[in-house]
Amino acid sequence: MTLAAGGGAAWFGTTGDPPGALLLSVITVFFAATTLYGALVRPRLAADASGITVRTLSGHRYTPWNRVHCRVATTRRLGRDVDTLELDIADEHPGSDPELIALGELELGADPHEVLERLRQQTE
């Protein structure tokens, strides 16, 4: 945040452009927050013989294999096909809706098809 303020002040001081300084500050804050999120939350998914653990900003969530259904979905975004690993997690309480967690290649650090294959090997 200090970097954004310093960058905005330096930009304003050299160009005298308040809208440009504001835009530079907003973009700097956005990229700093994105970088911090990526550094704190990775890896998003961990698996062992008993189940999976999904990591979020609020902590870890463990789910046993008997409540998880995994698949790879392909969607079209910005003119190209994007694969995501979808995890349907059944709630502990019967009759409630399952939770869907979608993880892309950036969150997984690998191709979703390869991750799905490794997850299936874990359940065998």
Side-chain angles (χ1 to χ4, degrees):
M1 305 304 167
T2 307
L3 179 64
W11 182 270
F12 180 72
T14 58
T15 64
D17 179 22
L22 177 64
L23 181 62
L24 176 66
S25 299
V26 169
I27 290 172
T28 304
V29 168
F30 170 76
F31 282 119
T34 303
T35 302
L36 184 64
Y37 174 79
L40 292 176
V41 178
R42 288 196 64 162
R44 294 279 319 265
L45 179 67
D48 59 20
S50 62
I52 64 166
T53 303
V54 179
R55 188 173 176 185
T56 64
L57 280 177
S58 60
H60 297 43
R61 178 176 176 194
Y62 171 78
T63 306
W65 283 116
N66 63 352
R67 292 186 22 227
V68 178
H69 174 68
C70 306
R71 67 179 175 272
V72 172
T74 303
T75 56
R76 192 152 187 81
R77 292 187 185 155
L78 301 174
R80 66 184 200 93
D81 292 334
V82 177
D83 294 328
T84 56
L85 177 69
E86 293 185 349
L87 305 170
D88 279 325
I89 299 177
D91 198 9
E92 296 175 35
H93 310 292
S96 60
D97 294 331
E99 179 181 357
L100 176 66
I101 298 174
L103 302 170
E105 190 169 345
L106 182 64
E107 290 95 0
L108 296 170
D111 181 61
H113 291 283
E114 293 175 10
V115 174
L116 179 63
E117 197 58 42
R118 293 189 68 186
L119 290 176
R120 288 188 176 152
Q121 291 172 0
Q122 288 286 334
T123 59
E124 294 175 354

